[in-house]
PDB file of all heavy atoms in Angstrom:
ATOM      1  N   ARG R 210      30.850  54.992   1.944  1.00  0.00           N
ATOM      2  CA  ARG R 210      29.717  54.426   2.678  1.00  0.00           C
ATOM      3  C   ARG R 210      29.177  53.191   1.972  1.00  0.00           C
ATOM      4  O   ARG R 210      29.021  53.175   0.743  1.00  0.00           O
ATOM      5  CB  ARG R 210      28.600  55.462   2.836  1.00  0.00           C
ATOM      6  CG  ARG R 210      29.005  56.624   3.739  1.00  0.00           C
ATOM      7  CD  ARG R 210      27.863  57.565   4.024  1.00  0.00           C
ATOM      8  NE  ARG R 210      28.312  58.614   4.952  1.00  0.00           N
ATOM      9  CZ  ARG R 210      27.656  58.990   6.030  1.00  0.00           C
ATOM     10  NH1 ARG R 210      26.520  58.392   6.349  1.00  0.00           N
ATOM     11  NH2 ARG R 210      28.123  59.939   6.803  1.00  0.00           N
ATOM     12  N   PHE R 211      28.891  52.153   2.768  1.00  0.00           N
ATOM     13  CA  PHE R 211      28.256  50.945   2.276  1.00  0.00           C
ATOM     14  C   PHE R 211      26.807  50.959   2.742  1.00  0.00           C
ATOM     15  O   PHE R 211      26.534  50.826   3.939  1.00  0.00           O
ATOM     16  CB  PHE R 211      28.973  49.700   2.804  1.00  0.00           C
ATOM     17  CG  PHE R 211      30.415  49.607   2.387  1.00  0.00           C
ATOM     18  CD1 PHE R 211      31.423  50.028   3.240  1.00  0.00           C
ATOM     19  CD2 PHE R 211      30.758  49.109   1.137  1.00  0.00           C
ATOM     20  CE1 PHE R 211      32.754  49.944   2.862  1.00  0.00           C
ATOM     21  CE2 PHE R 211      32.092  49.026   0.747  1.00  0.00           C
ATOM     22  CZ  PHE R 211      33.087  49.441   1.612  1.00  0.00           C
ATOM     23  N   LEU R 212      25.887  51.130   1.824  1.00  0.00           N
ATOM     24  CA  LEU R 212      24.470  51.197   2.169  1.00  0.00           C
ATOM     25  C   LEU R 212      23.915  49.777   2.277  1.00  0.00           C
ATOM     26  O   LEU R 212      24.073  48.963   1.363  1.00  0.00           O
ATOM     27  CB  LEU R 212      23.701  51.979   1.101  1.00  0.00           C
ATOM     28  CG  LEU R 212      22.236  52.321   1.435  1.00  0.00           C
ATOM     29  CD1 LEU R 212      22.166  53.251   2.641  1.00  0.00           C
ATOM     30  CD2 LEU R 212      21.556  52.958   0.219  1.00  0.00           C
ATOM     31  N   VAL R 213      23.271  49.473   3.414  1.00  0.00           N
ATOM     32  CA  VAL R 213      22.725  48.143   3.653  1.00  0.00           C
ATOM     33  C   VAL R 213      21.308  48.260   4.200  1.00  0.00           C
ATOM     34  O   VAL R 213      20.946  49.274   4.802  1.00  0.00           O
ATOM     35  CB  VAL R 213      23.596  47.331   4.639  1.00  0.00           C
ATOM     36  CG1 VAL R 213      24.985  47.086   4.055  1.00  0.00           C
ATOM     37  CG2 VAL R 213      23.702  48.034   5.996  1.00  0.00           C
ATOM     38  N   ASP R 214      20.520  47.205   3.990  1.00  0.00           N
ATOM     39  CA  ASP R 214      19.184  47.118   4.568  1.00  0.00           C
ATOM     40  C   ASP R 214      19.244  46.294   5.848  1.00  0.00           C
ATOM     41  O   ASP R 214      20.078  45.386   5.984  1.00  0.00           O
ATOM     42  CB  ASP R 214      18.211  46.451   3.585  1.00  0.00           C
ATOM     43  CG  ASP R 214      17.948  47.313   2.367  1.00  0.00           C
ATOM     44  OD1 ASP R 214      18.198  48.526   2.430  1.00  0.00           O
ATOM     45  OD2 ASP R 214      17.507  46.750   1.334  1.00  0.00           O
ATOM     46  N   TYR R 215      18.354  46.579   6.742  1.00  0.00           N
ATOM     47  CA  TYR R 215      18.310  45.846   8.007  1.00  0.00           C
ATOM     48  C   TYR R 215      17.853  44.398   7.774  1.00  0.00           C
ATOM     49  O   TYR R 215      16.984  44.105   6.947  1.00  0.00           O
ATOM     50  CB  TYR R 215      17.350  46.533   8.984  1.00  0.00           C
ATOM     51  CG  TYR R 215      17.169  45.781  10.279  1.00  0.00           C
ATOM     52  CD1 TYR R 215      18.134  45.845  11.275  1.00  0.00           C
ATOM     53  CD2 TYR R 215      16.048  44.955  10.473  1.00  0.00           C
ATOM     54  CE1 TYR R 215      17.979  45.131  12.456  1.00  0.00           C
ATOM     55  CE2 TYR R 215      15.884  44.240  11.647  1.00  0.00           C
ATOM     56  CZ  TYR R 215      16.867  44.326  12.634  1.00  0.00           C
ATOM     57  OH  TYR R 215      16.717  43.607  13.788  1.00  0.00           O
ATOM     58  N   GLY R 216      18.438  43.470   8.542  1.00  0.00           N
ATOM     59  CA  GLY R 216      17.979  42.090   8.562  1.00  0.00           C
ATOM     60  C   GLY R 216      18.375  41.265   7.362  1.00  0.00           C
ATOM     61  O   GLY R 216      17.733  40.248   7.060  1.00  0.00           O
ATOM     62  N   LYS R 217      19.436  41.656   6.679  1.00  0.00           N
ATOM     63  CA  LYS R 217      19.893  40.932   5.499  1.00  0.00           C
ATOM     64  C   LYS R 217      21.306  40.392   5.721  1.00  0.00           C
ATOM     65  O   LYS R 217      21.978  40.735   6.691  1.00  0.00           O
ATOM     66  CB  LYS R 217      19.884  41.839   4.260  1.00  0.00           C
ATOM     67  CG  LYS R 217      18.555  42.534   3.994  1.00  0.00           C
ATOM     68  CD  LYS R 217      17.451  41.535   3.672  1.00  0.00           C
ATOM     69  CE  LYS R 217      16.139  42.256   3.340  1.00  0.00           C
ATOM     70  NZ  LYS R 217      15.042  41.303   3.051  1.00  0.00           N
ATOM     71  N   THR R 218      21.755  39.541   4.798  1.00  0.00           N
ATOM     72  CA  THR R 218      23.122  39.045   4.819  1.00  0.00           C
ATOM     73  C   THR R 218      23.831  39.502   3.546  1.00  0.00           C
ATOM     74  O   THR R 218      23.313  39.303   2.435  1.00  0.00           O
ATOM     75  CB  THR R 218      23.166  37.515   4.905  1.00  0.00           C
ATOM     76  OG1 THR R 218      22.562  37.101   6.138  1.00  0.00           O
ATOM     77  CG2 THR R 218      24.599  37.008   4.867  1.00  0.00           C
ATOM     78  N   TYR R 219      24.997  40.114   3.712  1.00  0.00           N
ATOM     79  CA  TYR R 219      25.778  40.654   2.598  1.00  0.00           C
ATOM     80  C   TYR R 219      27.106  39.909   2.486  1.00  0.00           C
ATOM     81  O   TYR R 219      27.704  39.509   3.498  1.00  0.00           O
ATOM     82  CB  TYR R 219      26.041  42.144   2.800  1.00  0.00           C
ATOM     83  CG  TYR R 219      24.819  43.009   2.629  1.00  0.00           C
ATOM     84  CD1 TYR R 219      23.906  43.170   3.673  1.00  0.00           C
ATOM     85  CD2 TYR R 219      24.569  43.657   1.428  1.00  0.00           C
ATOM     86  CE1 TYR R 219      22.773  43.952   3.520  1.00  0.00           C
ATOM     87  CE2 TYR R 219      23.436  44.451   1.265  1.00  0.00           C
ATOM     88  CZ  TYR R 219      22.542  44.591   2.309  1.00  0.00           C
ATOM     89  OH  TYR R 219      21.418  45.363   2.141  1.00  0.00           O
TER      90      TYR R 219
END
Side-chain angles (χ1 to χ4, degrees):
R210 293 186 177 228
F211 299 97
L212 189 64
V213 297
D214 292 341
Y215 176 78
K217 307 296 183 181
T218 297
Y219 289 82

